[in-house]
Amino acid sequence: MVPIILAKGLTKRFGDLIAVDGIDFTIHEREYFGFLGPNGAGKTSTIRMLYGHSPMTDGQLKVLGLDIRTTARRIKEQIGVVSQENNLDTDLSVLENLLVYARYFNMPKREARRRADELMAFMQLEAKEKSRVEQLSGGMKRRLVLARALINRPKILLLDEPTTGLDPQARHLIWQRLRSLKSGGTALVLTTHYMDEAAQLCDRVAVMDAGRIIATGSPQELVRERVGAEVLELRIAPALDAQVLRSIADLDIETERYGDTLYLYLPEGHTLAKTLTDRLIGINHSEMIHRQATLEDLFLRLTGRELVEH
Amino acid sequence: MNDIFRIPSVSWRCLRVWQRDRDAYMKFYKLSLLGNLGDPILYLVAMGYGLGRFLNQIEGMTYLEFIAPGLVISSSMFAASFECTYGSFLRMIYLKTYDAIIATPLSIEDVVSGDILWGTTKGMISGTIMFAVVGAFGLIDSVWAAGIPLLIVLVSFLFASLSMAATSFVKTFEAFNYYITLFLTPMFFFSGVFFPLNRLPDWVSVVSKFLPLTYAVEISRALIYGQPSWIVPVGLALLLGPALFFYCVSINLMKRRVIQ
């Protein structure tokens, strides 16, 4: 596996605030890699350092084997960026947005036109070729930003929260398109706080919190290792927690209380779900949900279920 | 602090931003021209003809003749200034156009420089058209007037750069009032466009000596009416120096603002 992004001790400080606190990570060719974390965890700062928008404060960073501090132009020629805001050119039409962007990459006119047509078809925007940006729906704007980021056939596509605020149909269309880029060999680096997005797209994720990476691995492995295979959610009065814990004391089960719910994490291969439900049925509760453990559980276990505003 | 005063590294790619601004402009150029030329033409007609009827000659000229050269120059000043204040601010803060472009091989220096070149171009468009209007009024009577385009370029470049430097500090649209109402507009009135400065209280003419527009207006009058003097080369130098200075400084200031 060839590494295309190598970060060691990567740090970003804004005055006294440490946004990214000396993180290490490696991203490989063709890999789909996600940075997960709550708002303020340092995801956007990290991705902005990758394309030189935000100069790194400290550490080492190699993108496509080059140093971003000295060869930003050559790196930027080979990457595509979908930033958090739709920074489309509202003075221009859909087609013009693509053509003008192609010109920033020095693409010859005829090639730019061909590529723009290709990308409008790929992103289902052909019918909107002449529309102005304000006339597009949220999903279309996002697709246009994505089409624009692909204009230079990038080796790495950086996406900062690609589907935040979109409706389910729009999100799925974008996910499909992003997955279909895999066959072309593009690597993908995204930030998200949607667990389903990470599960849909990422080969590996890094969970970030307060500027640090607190876990890295494939989503499935991470969930299995850190959460377990299944989760039992018990809506039960906190006063009854002790009774529940006593009744399952002989079983190897981790629990966590948050709000109105007691979470029970069942390790992999645990066949005791049935036993467990039998035992708990006698304790007065309003609801019991037995389900697969997800990335969401991992995320919330690692970063805490409490809402922390950074 | 030293980074603010160094010479920025700008590449030829800044022309891509100029092209982008031009393409956007070409879609709405009629409205934009109306905005840039409406005022100076109104001043020329209303003040020149209207007020001019009640005035004696000034320095051997009719009032229309007196104000015409300064209005050519000030139209360049305003067009370049508005582009590099409101226009650039809108692109930087609200439309995030700068952010989008610096994700491509262009650097922030290229982007700001391209915007300054475009502001310069807009000043040139306004100034050139006003120059033609003044010509159509039959007010040009010297071959020295051929030097006016050069003056227009210089004035446009100076105010595009100066305005960009102001924009680098501005946090809200309203804050441009400081620059426009407290600086540009007073300069428009106290740099000899509408009345000779030597008849005003001493302090006014002292202050006016520090206003770049004063020199530009004097040069324009000297050229259009064929009375070139030492003020032409000296004035041009007094415009070029600050123009280059603010060009460099504004790029560095904008870089400090955008790249964090």
Side-chain angles (χ1 to χ4, degrees):
Chain A
M1 286 199 294
V2 186
I4 50 166
I5 300 179
L6 242 168
K8 272 210 176 90
L10 187 62
T11 303
K12 180 71 203 181
R13 281 192 292 269
F14 298 99
D16 290 337
L17 176 83
I18 302 171
V20 179
D21 194 2
I23 59 172
D24 302 338
F25 59 89
T26 307
I27 301 172
H28 303 102
E29 218 171 55
R30 292 170 175 268
E31 191 170 32
Y32 278 29
F33 190 91
F35 287 99
L36 288 180
N39 289 333
K43 310 183 301 284
T44 297
S45 295
T46 301
I47 216 158
R48 283 186 162 190
M49 283 191 277
L50 294 182
Y51 68 99
H53 183 106
S54 184
M56 49 199 273
T57 314
D58 205 359
Q60 288 175 14
L61 179 61
K62 285 268 161 74
V63 180
L64 296 163
L66 302 167
D67 189 330
I68 189 75
R69 283 169 296 193
T70 53
T71 33
R73 246 192 247 284
R74 276 183 58 208
I75 293 172
K76 291 196 289 179
E77 274 167 1
Q78 304 175 71
I79 60 175
V81 178
V82 173
S83 61
Q84 212 171 99
E85 300 106 344
N86 288 334
N87 48 23
L88 291 164
D89 208 319
T90 51
D91 289 335
L92 307 174
S93 71
V94 168
L95 175 64
E96 287 164 341
N97 258 280
L98 296 172
L99 296 180
V100 167
Y101 216 67
R103 204 160 55 193
Y104 299 139
F105 289 92
N106 256 347
M107 197 180 284
K109 251 187 189 158
R110 201 173 292 177
E111 192 191 334
R113 179 65 213 237
R114 209 169 39 230
R115 186 72 183 138
D117 287 340
E118 232 172 79
L119 287 169
M120 284 188 295
F122 181 62
M123 289 295 166
Q124 297 184 14
L125 289 166
E126 307 107 305
K128 298 287 172 183
E129 180 182 314
K130 293 195 167 62
S131 303
R132 296 185 41 168
V133 168
E134 298 100 285
Q135 295 165 334
L136 302 180
S137 69
M140 287 177 191
K141 282 183 190 157
R142 214 58 189 143
R143 267 141 57 201
L144 180 56
V145 176
L146 185 52
R148 194 181 65 173
L150 292 169
I151 198 97
N152 59 326
R153 301 177 193 279
K155 291 194 179 124
I156 309 174
L157 189 58
L158 305 176
L159 306 113
D160 194 0
E161 297 187 10
T163 65
T164 297
L166 299 184
D167 63 37
Q169 284 85 353
R171 302 179 73 198
H172 278 276
L173 179 58
I174 286 179
W175 289 342
Q176 280 169 20
R177 291 302 182 263
L178 289 175
R179 278 194 299 262
S180 75
L181 292 173
K182 193 140 203 170
S183 57
T186 311
L188 193 141
V189 181
L190 67 94
T191 73
T192 186
H193 44 228
Y194 292 128
M195 300 308 119
D196 50 344
E197 183 157 272
Q200 287 262 353
L201 294 174
C202 298
D203 304 317
R204 271 192 318 139
V205 295
V207 183
M208 288 189 80
D209 194 30
R212 294 169 177 276
I213 292 178
I214 50 178
T216 313
S218 84
Q220 298 81 359
E221 277 171 28
L222 277 178
V223 172
R224 211 165 47 226
E225 286 166 16
R226 307 278 183 122
V227 184
E230 290 161 3
V231 176
L232 206 68
E233 289 185 25
L234 207 56
R235 310 262 190 272
I236 190 167
L240 297 173
D241 281 10
Q243 195 185 340
V244 172
L245 295 181
R246 258 198 316 280
S247 77
I248 62 168
D250 57 323
L251 306 170
D252 178 24
I253 291 170
E254 284 191 57
T255 64
E256 190 178 14
R257 156 65 67 175
Y258 178 65
D260 64 349
T261 305
L262 184 67
Y263 293 85
L264 289 79
Y265 301 109
L266 316 191
E268 189 181 17
H270 214 292
T271 51
L272 292 181
K274 180 82 173 72
T275 324
L276 203 56
T277 45
D278 288 347
R279 288 190 198 177
L280 296 175
I281 204 96
I283 304 172
N284 186 23
H285 61 268
S286 60
E287 195 177 9
M288 186 182 332
I289 298 168
H290 179 206
R291 58 172 176 77
Q292 292 271 306
T294 66
L295 211 43
E296 189 124 359
D297 296 305
L298 169 78
F299 183 72
L300 294 174
R301 284 217 79 186
L302 289 176
T303 65
R305 291 190 189 263
E306 300 281 354
L307 178 66
V308 181
E309 308 267 20
H310 287 283
Chain B
M1 230 17 217
N2 283 336
D3 341 339
I4 300 299
F5 296 110
R6 69 172 171 215
I7 295 173
S9 76
V10 176
S11 82
W12 62 270
R13 291 173 197 257
C14 67
L15 294 176
R16 297 297 185 213
V17 176
W18 182 89
Q19 285 176 314
R20 179 254 158 237
D21 289 344
R22 177 204 60 195
D23 291 352
Y25 173 76
M26 290 310 283
K27 307 189 83 170
F28 310 103
Y29 73 94
K30 285 178 188 156
L31 266 176
S32 176
L33 278 180
L34 180 68
N36 291 152
L37 293 170
D39 279 1
I41 291 176
L42 269 175
Y43 276 120
L44 190 67
V45 175
M47 306 278 277
Y49 277 127
L51 188 60
R53 271 166 198 264
F54 304 98
L55 296 175
N56 291 322
Q57 294 211 322
I58 298 178
E59 294 174 359
M61 294 173 237
T62 65
Y63 192 57
L64 182 69
E65 287 169 339
F66 183 80
I67 63 172
L71 286 173
V72 171
I73 297 310
S74 56
S75 81
S76 284
M77 172 183 85
F78 280 119
S81 299
F82 284 131
E83 183 62 29
C84 289
T85 48
Y86 294 110
S88 295
F89 187 74
L90 187 71
R91 288 192 284 277
M92 169 174 67
I93 300 293
Y94 288 97
L95 305 178
K96 307 272 175 198
T97 316
Y98 284 16
D99 288 348
I101 303 177
I102 59 176
T104 73
L106 277 75
S107 66
I108 183 66
E109 289 94 334
D110 298 335
V111 176
V112 178
S113 181
D115 254 10
I116 291 176
L117 291 184
W118 175 247
T120 306
T121 307
K122 282 198 76 177
M124 287 160 60
I125 294 169
S126 280
T128 306
I129 294 175
M130 272 307 287
F131 185 43
V133 169
V134 167
F137 275 78
L139 298 173
I140 297 168
D141 55 22
S142 164
V143 287
W144 285 99
I148 288 288
L150 175 68
L151 179 63
I152 288 174
V153 173
L154 213 50
V155 167
S156 303
F157 180 52
L158 169 63
F159 283 99
S161 300
L162 191 62
S163 302
M164 189 62 88
T167 302
S168 74
F169 292 104
V170 159
K171 300 276 190 288
T172 65
F173 268 111
E174 288 71 24
F176 280 120
N177 289 341
Y178 289 115
Y179 179 66
I180 290 170
T181 311
L182 296 183
F183 178 66
L184 280 191
T185 311
M187 180 155 64
F188 177 50
F189 285 109
F190 292 100
S191 58
V193 176
F194 292 107
F195 35 81
L197 297 165
N198 51 20
R199 307 262 189 89
L200 297 172
D202 281 349
W203 67 269
V204 177
S205 66
V206 169
V207 169
S208 75
K209 290 283 181 288
F210 291 93
L211 302 175
L213 193 63
T214 306
Y215 301 97
V217 170
E218 269 191 63
I219 298 169
S220 69
R221 215 168 267 140
L223 291 175
I224 285 183
Y225 301 123
Q227 297 150 338
S229 68
W230 59 270
I231 192 69
V232 175
V234 172
L236 288 176
L238 285 174
L239 294 173
L240 182 62
L244 290 173
F245 173 79
F246 283 112
Y247 171 74
C248 294
V249 166
S250 67
I251 291 174
N252 295 332
L253 283 169
M254 286 300 259
K255 180 177 183 177
R256 189 179 68 174
R257 172 156 187 181
V258 175
I259 303 295
Q260 292 192 338

